[in-house]
């Protein structure tokens, strides 16, 4: 089994991700007009919103990988779920860090218990639980199956959390996003590019993370082979040369 | 079908009988639940502060904390005695094992809740008698959801040497919606609302129960295999 880092089209996605993130950054800072009431801090929105989308997409990847792993037992799908969790966790953290900065100047508070914010926070906790379970169970053969079960439970939980919190807080503050009808064309263009950029970055990180997992599997095989060769001569038999 | 029910009943009987003989879990769970109520009583002085607003939340903190304690125990002893392997040899469907363990945990936690409630009512000065049937129904429905998720995840956590640390971290994020609904429904019932008035929350609790009992029946097999 030879594991090589992915090249060709995947490398193109890596490059496209880096270029488009830089371009979106420049557009967000210099091209998009300043928002009338919120001022410059609103520019964080161009990265905050796409990151939030990727945070939720990450858990969809976890769920798909988990179900496919339990159905087939193929390690590839486990790697997919793990990569989805790590990359999703990254974007969820970015969302939770950029959100309060914006909220502080838009609403005057760092945090509010509205449906979107609360669900993102629970999502982050679910990611932590998933990654901690894998961390604690490292080296246990049941680790992949158990984390797949938790991945499915978590994915089912997220929509229930959303609806329960929405009910709990029937009158959540209207955000900028719900008033999208009035978005300037330059703002819309910047947002679309930022979304594309963050999506490309998500895919690129996901592919690289899966490839890393495959390399690790290859390394484990090699290590086992070496150990076998070292043990064989000591046992008084087998070829010691190869 | 009759064989399935008999297997489930035998499992519940086994768990309750072994609990009755040792009385390990029920004692510490009930005491822990009581301690949490006492701690709340001291932290938020019931003589000066009107606790009626916060009381449903305190009640569910007490229930869920002692639930974690009981769930940890329910699989820890099975793993220690190696009786889980024996269970796996039994010629029954794996989902029957889930149902048996879950119902055992449900009965145990319900008993702890029933023991906590009078003390809670007296110490925090909350009147529970006028709404007892409604309160019992809301509590029991929510406890089904708690133990369904709890049994599945406790089965997972018990295989790990860090189980006591691991279980609450796994449980609470998933429990959040049912805890929220339970607190709101309990609050409504304690304030004198009818079941019809808290139906929105009750419906959420029942949906949670349905989803996670089904998932438990389907996925418990994955937890048990070595």
């Amino acid at each position: 089994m030879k594991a090589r880092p992915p090249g060709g089209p995947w490398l193109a996605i890596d490059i496209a991700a880096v270029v488009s993130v830089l371009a979106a950054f420049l557009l967000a800072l210099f091209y998009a007009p300043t928002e009338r009431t919120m001022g410059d801090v609103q520019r964080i929105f161009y990265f905050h919103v796409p990151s939030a989308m990727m945070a939720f997409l990450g858990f969809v990847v976890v769920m798909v990988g988990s179900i496919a792993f339990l159905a087939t037992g193929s390690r590839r799908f486990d790697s997919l779920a793990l990569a989805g969790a790590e990359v999703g966790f990254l974007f969820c953290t970015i969302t939770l860090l950029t959100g309060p900065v914006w909220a502080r100047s838009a609403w005057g508070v760092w945090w509010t218990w509205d449906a979107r914010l609360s669900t993102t926070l629970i999502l982050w906790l679910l990611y932590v639980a998933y990654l901690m379970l894998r961390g604690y169970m490292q080296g246990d053969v049941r680790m992949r199956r158990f984390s797949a079960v938790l991945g499915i439970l978590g994915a089912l939980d997220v929509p229930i959390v959303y609806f329960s919190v929405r009910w709990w807080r029937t009158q959540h503050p209207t955000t900028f996003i719900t008033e999208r009808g009035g978005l300037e064309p330059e703002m819309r263009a910047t947002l679309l590019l930022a979304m594309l950029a963050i999506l490309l970055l998500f895919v690129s990180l996901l592919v690289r993370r899966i490839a890393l997992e495959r390399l690790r599997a290859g390394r484990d095989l090699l290590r086992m082979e070496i150990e076998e060769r070292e043990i064989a001569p000591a046992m008084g038999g087998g070829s010691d040369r190869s | 079908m009759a064989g399935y029910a008999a297997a489930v009943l035998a499992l519940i009987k086994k768990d309750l009988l072994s609990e009755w003989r040792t009385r390990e879990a029920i004692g510490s769970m009930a005491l822990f639940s009581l301690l949490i109520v006492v701690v709340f009583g001291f932290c938020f002085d019931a003589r000066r502060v009107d606790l009626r607003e916060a009381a449903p939340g305190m009640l569910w903190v007490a229930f869920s904390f002692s639930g974690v304690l009981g769930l940890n125990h329910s699989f820890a002893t099975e793993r220690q005695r190696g009786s889980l392997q024996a269970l796996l040899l039994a010629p029954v469907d794996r989902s029957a094992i889930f149902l048996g363990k879950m119902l055992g945990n449900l009965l145990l936690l319900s008993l702890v809740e029933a023991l906590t409630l009078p003390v809670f009512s007296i110490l925090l000065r909350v009147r529970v008698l006028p709404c007892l049937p409604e309160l019992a129904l809301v509590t029991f429905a929510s406890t089904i959801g708690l133990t369904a998720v709890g049994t599945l995840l406790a089965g997972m956590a018990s295989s790990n040497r860090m189980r006591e640390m691991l279980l609450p971290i796994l449980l609470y994020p998933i429990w959040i919606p049912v805890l929220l609904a339970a607190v709101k429904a309990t609050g409504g019932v304690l304030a004198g609302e009818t079941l019809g008035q808290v139906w929105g929350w009750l419906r959420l609790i029942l949906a949670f129960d349905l989803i996670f009992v089904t998932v438990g029946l389907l996925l418990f097999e994955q937890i048990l295999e070595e």
Side-chain angles (χ1 to χ4, degrees):
Chain A
M1 177 178 157
K2 266 278 191 287
R4 264 180 282 121
W10 299 120
L11 194 66
I13 288 186
D14 292 347
I15 294 167
V18 172
V19 171
S20 58
V21 167
L22 282 175
F25 193 67
L26 292 175
L27 283 193
L29 282 184
F30 301 111
Y31 173 70
T34 309
E35 213 275 339
R36 207 174 298 136
T37 50
M38 284 183 274
D40 278 332
V41 75
Q42 177 268 338
R43 294 175 194 277
I44 211 165
F45 153 88
Y46 301 111
F47 285 90
H48 174 74
V49 173
S51 298
M53 288 173 169
M54 293 309 116
F56 285 89
L57 183 64
F59 225 99
V60 175
V61 174
V62 173
M63 183 181 69
V64 171
S66 298
I67 293 174
F69 174 74
L70 288 183
T72 64
S74 160
R75 206 172 144 170
R76 273 169 36 214
F77 293 117
D78 178 67
S79 306
L80 178 69
L82 171 62
E86 286 192 356
V87 179
F89 175 69
L90 173 74
F91 282 107
C92 201
T93 309
I94 291 174
T95 310
L96 287 176
L97 289 179
T98 52
V101 178
W102 184 24
R104 181 79 176 101
S105 63
W107 302 332
V109 288
W110 294 103
W111 182 263
T112 169
W113 290 93
D114 110 301
R116 275 196 208 98
L117 274 71
S118 311
T119 312
T120 312
L121 182 61
I122 303 301
L123 180 70
W124 190 83
L125 291 170
L126 285 168
Y127 276 128
V128 173
Y130 181 89
L131 293 173
M132 270 183 105
L133 177 70
R134 294 192 76 109
Y136 277 141
M137 293 200 70
Q138 206 70 57
D140 191 321
V141 287
R142 292 165 293 194
M143 185 258 285
R144 293 173 219 290
R145 246 184 303 125
F146 283 16
S147 56
V149 171
L150 187 65
I152 294 170
L153 283 183
L156 288 171
D157 201 49
V158 172
I160 308 178
V161 172
Y162 180 76
F163 285 115
S164 65
V165 181
R166 211 173 64 165
W167 240 343
W168 179 45
R169 291 271 177 264
T170 35
Q171 27 171 221
H172 50 260
T174 46
T175 61
F176 184 78
I177 314 157
T178 51
E179 300 154 4
R180 192 177 291 164
L183 211 59
E184 294 282 318
E186 290 93 347
M187 287 183 170
R188 190 188 302 273
T190 308
L191 180 63
L192 283 177
L193 181 71
M195 278 182 181
L196 179 73
I198 298 289
L199 180 66
L200 284 170
L201 186 62
F202 180 87
V203 173
S204 143
L205 288 173
L206 196 71
V207 169
R208 292 288 156 187
R209 187 63 188 84
I210 294 171
L212 177 64
E213 205 54 23
R214 213 168 48 210
L215 283 171
R216 281 188 181 156
R219 178 204 62 187
D220 289 346
L221 275 180
L222 285 175
R223 188 175 281 168
M224 261 161 52
E225 246 174 68
I226 291 169
E227 275 169 10
E228 270 172 25
R229 277 185 213 171
E230 278 169 357
I231 290 166
M235 304 275 280
S239 63
D240 52 350
R241 219 173 283 277
S242 60
Chain B
M1 200 59 216
Y4 191 89
V8 172
L9 280 177
L11 274 158
I12 300 173
K13 205 177 139 197
K14 167 195 90 72
D15 273 6
L16 293 184
L17 193 66
S18 103
E19 178 53 36
W20 175 249
R21 286 189 182 146
T22 59
R23 290 184 202 87
E24 275 174 347
I26 184 92
S28 34
M29 280 170 81
L31 199 61
F32 189 53
S33 185
L34 169 73
L35 279 171
I36 292 169
V37 173
V38 171
V39 167
F40 275 135
F42 277 114
C43 292
F44 306 93
D45 190 349
R47 282 184 312 162
R48 291 190 291 132
V49 186
D50 187 8
L51 288 180
R52 263 171 300 181
E53 283 281 308
M58 295 177 177
L59 196 59
W60 281 99
V61 168
F63 290 170
S64 64
F65 275 34
S66 59
V68 172
L69 212 61
L71 288 163
N72 250 326
H73 182 80
S74 95
F75 278 95
T77 45
E78 295 266 17
R79 297 258 184 205
Q80 275 162 18
R81 293 187 297 225
S83 52
L84 209 58
Q85 262 88 1
L87 272 185
L88 291 179
L89 292 173
V92 291
D93 198 87
R94 300 282 197 254
S95 64
I97 302 180
F98 172 76
L99 215 53
K101 290 298 284 184
M102 190 206 123
L103 291 174
N105 285 329
L106 176 64
L107 289 177
L108 202 61
L109 187 53
S110 301
L111 193 60
V112 170
E113 290 167 348
L115 290 172
T116 308
L117 208 54
V119 184
F120 164 83
S121 166
I122 292 166
L123 290 185
L124 299 185
R125 303 179 179 180
V126 179
R127 288 170 61 86
V128 296
L129 278 180
C131 57
L132 200 54
E134 290 90 350
L135 188 61
L137 188 91
V138 166
T139 306
F140 189 70
S142 311
T143 309
I144 294 176
L146 294 188
T147 46
V149 178
T151 304
L152 191 61
L153 291 181
M156 260 161 63
S158 69
S159 72
N160 197 272
R161 67 192 164 78
M162 301 290 283
R163 57 180 159 262
E164 288 86 2
M165 314 238 173
L166 194 54
L167 187 60
I169 293 169
L170 304 182
L171 273 178
Y172 273 94
I174 299 186
W175 271 358
I176 291 282
V178 75
L179 281 178
L180 176 60
V183 168
K184 297 311 283 183
T186 306
V189 163
L190 283 178
E193 288 179 19
T194 62
L195 282 181
Q197 280 167 298
V198 295
W199 171 240
W201 292 111
L202 201 57
R203 199 174 48 179
L204 188 78
I205 294 168
L206 294 175
F208 188 94
D209 293 353
L210 188 69
I211 292 171
F212 285 99
V213 170
T214 312
V215 172
L217 290 172
L218 290 174
L219 292 184
F220 197 60
E221 190 178 5
Q222 305 288 343
I223 303 298
L224 284 179
E225 278 166 35
E226 292 298 310

